[in-house]
Amino acid sequence: MNRRTFLKALGATGVTATVAGQFVINRSTGEAGAPHAAGVVRKGETWVPTVCYQCPGGCGILARVVEGKAVKLEGNPQHPINERRLCPKGQSALQILYNPDRLQHPLRRAGARGEGRWQEITWEEAMAEVISRLKTIRDQGEPHTVAIMHGRLRGEMEGLIHRFLEAYGSPNDISSASLGRQTAKVAHLLTQGIEDLMAYDLENANYLLSFGGSLLEAGGPPMRVVGAYGQIRRGRPNRAKIVTVDPRFSITAAKSDEWVPIVPGTDAALALGLANAIIQMGAYDKDFVANYTFGFEDWTDEGGQKHKGFKTLVLEEYPAKKVSEITGVPVANISRLAAEFATNKPALAINPDRGALHASLGGSYTGAAIHSLNALVGNLDRPGGVMVQRYPLCVPWPDTQMDETARKGLRQPRIDGAGSKRFPLANSIYQTVARNSWEGNPYPLRALLLYYTNPVFSSPQGQEFVAAFQKMDFIVDFSPFFSDSNQYADLILPDHTFFERYENDLPPAGTGYPVVGLRQPVVEPLYNTRHTGDVLLQVAQGLGGGVAGSFPWKNFVEILQFRLSKLGVSWEELRKTGVWAKPLYPFTSPTDSRWHSVVGTDRRYAPKDGRFDFYMRELKGLFEKKGITEADLAGMNISARGDLVYLPHYEAPHRTGDATEYPLLLNTYKLMTHAEGKGGNVPGLQEMLGLHVGVKWQTWAEINPQTAHKLGIKEGDMVWVESPQGRIKVRAKLYAGARPDMVNIPFEQGHAAGGRWAQSRGANPNTIIPSVTEALAGSAAFTSFGVKVYRA
């Protein structure tokens, strides 16, 4: 369906109306709606505010609705995350709502798993089956063998799912965070004592040192970053310098003042090499480091034992020459970058939510090393510096009503191993679920619920989930579309699209100050679908007892109204504007009583003394609590010993495959059009997929021209990219922005199911990536693995 046919089908016609102040007046109803960029509306039309769900950004959207049909999207100028801007994913999102491949009613599997044979059923039949299956498992005393795997959740859906599992008696709330943002959160916890992504005052910084992660394309939130980029480049008298450290010449690198093509997985060594130079120059913030940090200098504990400090470590282990040999960055550049960073204040070292932190098995140490640069120059909670994201004050959830079955189930270990001695700081480990369940370690899963997630596609070696699914008793998926994973489900109970449902959204690490976006229906549901929140509430009532008693709300909207009732704004006003915010970030200083909300708040095993930890006391306390000794470190793939374990340091990347047979390193990355695996079925995104290389609707491999010449590969050739795990067939693109020792492949294509525009197009690089997990955060590694490339 082309754009002309698409719009004609919606019948967008009418007459103009007027604008009253900041709000549009709908002549047909006389009601005030959201502001409209064009300044006019048409008869029978409204502009309804909602929140995008295509990426983690949580951008505000205005949907133009004509005669009950959404026909156009704009950015909401009142939403502080995007301030009228809207990225390609948001602009094309109506192709989700009106997609011809949406699931229109509940489905039950009618053949063997994976055959793709389905039977339409009623919601009453579907709910009865879910309640019966889950009740049987619980009555048999095995609630812990049920899990919910989900994609990113913010707002009350996150709390609802966690509460449902707690009341039911399962510890297995499995988030996809280990595929992305979890490592950065752990790094910040170990150093600053804040278990969250950091917000950055980009607009007021004079120097940005971005370590991988494609800040403009895939940073978070993207439209917030893009707006800040415009401000620091053209919106103020003094233009900030941007330096991007990335193995690949990304769009962010192209828009930067300098690109540093580092050897993948060596970012920690570079960060510590920069620290070495800054310390030698005496250019660090001596007052802040001396008075408000811990472990910079060598120190002696209460028992009289001496410990190595950060300063001694970097001066001994990370001189510029050694760092240059590790990273491939010239010595002169290391010294120059260090001097620039230390003298162009305020300067920011930006931790990615993926990228560099998923390039090795030392991702948490890498994140700690990068973040230590901010403390070294004293740029915490200052204008132009690191900010701690604040959140709105919501009414607390009431206590869950737990019976003995629930308490017994919650005492069981998690299926993914998160929080165990092997993965002590992990909250969730998405990629380990398949193998653990399949092997029955610590037990096999009997039932699995999938909410907006697709582990067969998104996880390294996702085919392991196919084998695991075959051994499960019951699988339910809530996606509005077919997916690689729900082909193996017993039931598919399709959710509304985000244009048809209520949710609240708390943007992560954006403005620093609290923001609540309201996702609300802009049209009536097109099909016989249901809000998954309402489905879970109905299941809870059907299970009875304490599970039912834990959910006194009739529907999900009542939960929203309950939780958001302390915002100081009425429900109707929130619906009109689509967003609530408490602007202006409250910067503090170490002498301010509020400083403890900035440093140390989330520590559990170390003092909350307001000190940034160069020596990570939280990690040391955790290891002591769990009895983790040096004998355990080898099994955790941590090579460091002694004090080095508790200091930011460089862990060499874990490489699979013999370097002679697999001489190139595979680097996978995200583009602006990446929609967490959902973008493949959006034709508008497919059309603009690889603009920088002139490729769309397929997968390509970026190969350095010199490397391609040696391999006898020409522009546009179809090639095999092979690892010890398998091979995929892609198109070769000769790209000078690829390191000669690397091959770069983007995510998004390679779906076995998912709609006519996604299915059987291109290849999924996850299928040739081994499933390897970093020990501290439990995060998956996505790069630094050996491959070979040859003509197909």
Side-chain angles (χ1 to χ4, degrees):
M1 182 184 295
N2 61 33
R3 177 177 173 82
R4 181 176 298 176
T5 306
F6 181 73
L7 292 177
K8 184 178 180 181
L10 299 179
T13 59
V15 296
T16 61
T18 57
V19 176
Q22 200 177 21
F23 295 92
V24 173
I25 301 300
N26 183 334
R27 280 189 170 173
S28 63
T29 64
E31 295 181 352
H36 174 34
V40 296
V41 294
R42 298 177 184 274
K43 183 179 180 180
E45 130 181 328
T46 55
W47 285 83
V48 183
T50 189
V51 177
C52 188
Y53 195 70
Q54 286 291 81
C55 78
C59 291
I61 285 178
L62 297 181
R64 179 185 175 209
V65 181
V66 179
E67 298 177 356
K69 298 174 182 177
V71 300
K72 182 68 174 72
L73 302 177
E74 300 284 357
N76 187 346
Q78 295 190 82
H79 201 296
I81 292 295
N82 56 314
E83 298 177 326
R84 199 188 297 276
R85 296 175 292 267
L86 202 57
C87 78
K89 287 174 284 193
Q91 290 285 359
S92 62
L94 285 181
Q95 295 175 20
I96 296 290
L97 175 64
Y98 295 114
N99 195 294
D101 296 321
R102 279 188 60 184
L103 300 180
Q104 301 181 15
H105 39 67
L107 297 174
R108 176 187 288 136
R109 177 168 55 85
R113 283 189 171 144
E115 283 187 0
R117 294 167 53 202
W118 301 95
Q119 172 192 0
E120 179 182 347
I121 59 174
T122 66
W123 275 102
E124 289 70 25
E125 290 174 305
M127 297 305 298
E129 183 167 351
V130 174
I131 292 168
S132 174
R133 293 286 199 115
L134 294 185
K135 191 173 189 306
T136 297
I137 293 173
R138 196 171 195 274
D139 288 347
Q140 293 172 351
E142 295 187 333
H144 59 284
T145 64
V146 174
I148 297 181
M149 295 185 71
H150 55 81
R152 55 179 172 80
L153 293 176
R154 297 197 298 269
E156 305 325 309
M157 275 305 294
E158 180 176 19
L160 174 61
I161 286 176
H162 184 79
R163 185 178 180 85
F164 177 86
L165 287 169
E166 185 176 60
Y168 183 79
S170 173
N172 294 314
D173 182 350
I174 313 294
S175 164
S176 62
S178 65
L179 305 184
R181 56 196 178 275
Q182 190 160 284
T183 311
K185 289 184 177 182
V186 166
H188 298 150
L189 170 66
L190 295 179
T191 52
Q192 195 170 333
I194 302 294
E195 192 173 11
D196 201 356
L197 300 178
M198 292 298 168
Y200 298 102
D201 187 16
L202 302 172
E203 292 88 343
N204 294 305
N206 287 328
Y207 196 92
L208 301 183
L209 183 59
S210 176
F211 284 83
S214 301
L215 187 64
L216 289 175
E217 306 100 291
M223 287 297 94
R224 156 92 173 91
V225 174
V226 169
Y229 176 86
Q231 170 67 16
I232 63 180
R233 302 299 266 182
R234 302 185 66 180
R236 66 187 211 190
N238 59 323
R239 173 175 166 139
K241 180 171 182 178
I242 302 175
V243 178
T244 293
V245 179
D246 198 322
R248 174 180 170 270
F249 188 66
S250 62
I251 292 174
T252 301
K255 294 291 185 180
S256 300
D257 297 282
E258 185 173 350
W259 171 46
V260 181
I262 193 170
V263 172
T266 64
D267 300 75
L270 178 60
L272 297 171
L274 297 175
N276 175 298
I278 292 170
I279 292 170
Q280 288 201 63
M281 288 185 288
Y284 61 96
D285 189 325
K286 297 180 179 62
D287 175 69
F288 182 85
V289 168
N291 296 305
Y292 307 108
T293 71
F294 179 87
F296 180 75
E297 302 284 357
D298 295 350
W299 58 286
T300 303
D301 63 25
E302 293 178 353
Q305 184 176 354
K306 295 182 178 180
H307 297 275
K308 181 179 291 188
F310 180 81
K311 177 181 175 181
T312 298
L313 168 72
V314 297
L315 292 180
E316 289 180 353
E317 301 295 331
Y318 298 98
K321 183 178 179 182
K322 179 179 178 180
V323 169
S324 178
E325 293 171 352
I326 294 171
T327 64
V329 181
V331 170
N333 288 5
I334 295 171
S335 300
R336 176 180 54 78
L337 290 171
E340 291 176 356
F341 186 81
T343 58
N344 288 278
K345 297 180 179 179
L348 274 170
I350 300 176
N351 249 331
D353 62 358
R354 185 165 165 170
L357 305 192
H358 287 255
S360 74
L361 293 180
S364 296
Y365 289 116
T366 297
I370 293 170
H371 197 43
S372 292
L373 291 173
N374 293 311
L376 201 60
V377 296
N379 201 18
L380 301 184
D381 221 55
R382 296 180 180 179
V386 177
M387 303 183 295
V388 174
Q389 182 64 44
R390 304 306 208 269
Y391 296 98
L393 179 64
C394 294
V395 177
W397 291 91
D399 291 341
T400 306
Q401 297 182 22
M402 290 191 293
D403 56 19
E404 184 56 33
T405 299
R407 286 189 286 270
K408 182 179 178 181
L410 292 171
R411 288 195 293 267
Q412 299 297 314
R414 289 174 57 98
I415 186 66
D416 58 357
S420 66
K421 196 172 180 181
R422 175 69 176 82
F423 304 107
L425 282 163
N427 291 318
S428 184
I429 313 178
Y430 187 93
Q431 67 278 5
T432 62
V433 171
R435 190 175 301 172
N436 288 357
S437 178
W438 180 51
E439 294 177 350
N441 179 26
Y443 44 79
L445 285 179
R446 292 183 60 183
L448 176 65
L449 281 62
L450 299 171
Y451 179 69
Y452 280 96
T453 197
N454 187 4
V456 172
F457 177 81
S458 301
S459 183
Q461 290 296 292
Q463 51 268 40
E464 291 183 349
F465 276 91
V466 174
F469 288 165
Q470 299 291 0
K471 299 182 70 174
M472 294 181 188
D473 295 340
F474 188 53
I475 301 172
V476 181
D477 185 273
F478 298 102
S479 173
F481 296 91
F482 283 127
S483 73
D484 308 74
S485 298
N486 67 20
Q487 296 302 293
Y488 303 91
D490 296 282
L491 294 178
I492 302 178
L493 309 183
D495 197 357
H496 303 318
T497 67
F498 70 85
F499 291 108
E500 302 162 307
R501 68 176 187 258
Y502 278 102
E503 284 177 335
N504 63 324
D505 193 285
L506 309 179
T511 58
Y513 56 78
V515 177
V516 177
L518 181 66
R519 188 172 293 119
Q520 62 180 321
V522 304
V523 296
E524 292 296 319
L526 301 185
Y527 305 114
N528 186 23
T529 56
R530 285 190 184 180
H531 193 309
T532 302
D534 291 337
V535 172
L536 289 177
L537 288 173
Q538 186 177 345
V539 171
Q541 293 305 312
L543 291 172
V547 182
S550 297
F551 296 92
W553 307 278
K554 294 179 181 178
N555 53 50
F556 189 75
V557 171
E558 284 195 2
I559 291 178
L560 289 180
Q561 293 172 336
F562 164 72
R563 289 277 287 157
L564 301 179
S565 59
K566 283 191 175 181
L567 289 183
V569 61
S570 71
W571 177 253
E572 287 306 314
E573 187 64 25
L574 186 59
R575 289 186 62 220
K576 282 184 180 181
T577 59
V579 64
W580 172 92
K582 190 175 181 180
L584 299 179
Y585 179 80
F587 288 107
T588 64
S589 70
T591 58
D592 192 311
S593 61
R594 297 173 299 162
W595 181 252
H596 288 271
S597 68
V598 174
V599 179
T601 298
D602 297 328
R603 286 176 182 153
R604 297 179 289 274
Y605 306 100
K608 298 181 179 182
D609 55 6
R611 290 179 177 269
F612 182 98
D613 274 7
F614 287 109
Y615 190 100
M616 297 180 286
R617 294 173 291 173
E618 178 74 6
L619 184 60
K620 186 175 179 62
L622 173 66
F623 276 19
E624 291 173 352
K625 177 73 174 180
K626 289 188 173 290
I628 298 173
T629 65
E630 289 201 350
D632 299 310
L633 297 179
M636 300 170 70
N637 291 310
I638 296 175
S639 64
R641 296 293 183 269
D643 284 330
L644 195 60
V645 174
Y646 310 111
L647 288 163
H649 66 271
Y650 165 66
E651 290 275 343
H654 176 80
R655 179 169 182 152
T656 58
D658 180 75
T660 302
E661 185 177 0
Y662 301 98
L664 300 176
L665 292 174
L666 174 62
N667 176 51
T668 56
Y669 67 94
K670 297 180 181 180
L671 291 163
M672 175 66 86
T673 53
H674 175 77
E676 300 186 320
K678 303 187 295 292
N681 202 34
V682 179
L685 296 181
Q686 288 278 23
E687 280 291 318
M688 63 180 77
L689 186 62
L691 295 178
H692 66 294
V693 290
V695 178
K696 51 191 177 183
W697 295 91
Q698 59 182 296
T699 305
W700 66 91
E702 296 167 1
I703 305 172
N704 185 278
Q706 296 177 6
T707 304
H709 178 73
K710 293 178 182 178
L711 297 173
I713 295 171
K714 297 179 181 179
E715 173 73 14
D717 282 351
M718 295 303 296
V719 298
W720 289 106
V721 180
E722 182 176 335
S723 77
Q725 284 66 45
R727 66 178 187 172
I728 56 175
K729 190 177 182 180
V730 298
R731 188 170 300 279
K733 297 300 295 183
L734 307 193
Y735 188 60
R739 287 176 54 93
D741 57 351
M742 294 189 66
V743 55
N744 304 308
I745 301 179
F747 285 114
E748 199 61 57
Q749 308 284 31
H751 290 277
R756 69 193 67 185
W757 292 303
Q759 188 170 344
S760 303
R761 296 186 187 276
N764 181 4
N766 277 338
T767 61
I768 63 172
I769 295 175
S771 183
V772 180
T773 301
E774 189 253 16
L776 297 183
S779 297
F782 282 93
T783 190
S784 299
F785 299 115
V787 295
K788 58 184 176 182
V789 180
Y790 51 93
R791 292 181 64 182

